[in-house]
Amino acid sequence: MEIINRVTGWTGSPGRAFAWFRSQLLPSFSDRTAEDLVKDGRAQAAKHYLSRIAEGGYA
């Protein structure tokens, strides 16, 4: 839920944030989604990725 909350501002709504969570491929993780990372026990890696993007970093 924390990841959904973090991207809601970027996506414009909780529904879009959930869609992003489930479908947006993340290049830094071999095109896996945030959902894939969470399922694999790597939620912290997804959160770190979002922090990096929020600071102006690249995927």
Side-chain angles (χ1 to χ4, degrees):
M1 197 62 193
E2 182 180 340
I3 293 170
I4 301 294
N5 290 336
R6 290 179 75 175
V7 299
T8 295
W10 299 344
T11 61
S13 74
R16 288 182 183 162
F18 189 69
W20 176 93
F21 175 78
R22 296 191 74 206
S23 64
Q24 180 64 47
L25 302 178
L26 307 177
S28 295
F29 299 100
S30 301
D31 288 335
R32 297 177 53 92
T33 65
E35 181 181 40
D36 293 332
L37 294 174
V38 170
K39 285 181 179 179
D40 290 345
R42 299 182 63 204
Q44 192 60 37
K47 292 177 198 177
H48 179 64
Y49 171 84
L50 293 174
S51 294
R52 192 171 69 234
I53 298 301
E55 293 173 359
Y58 293 96

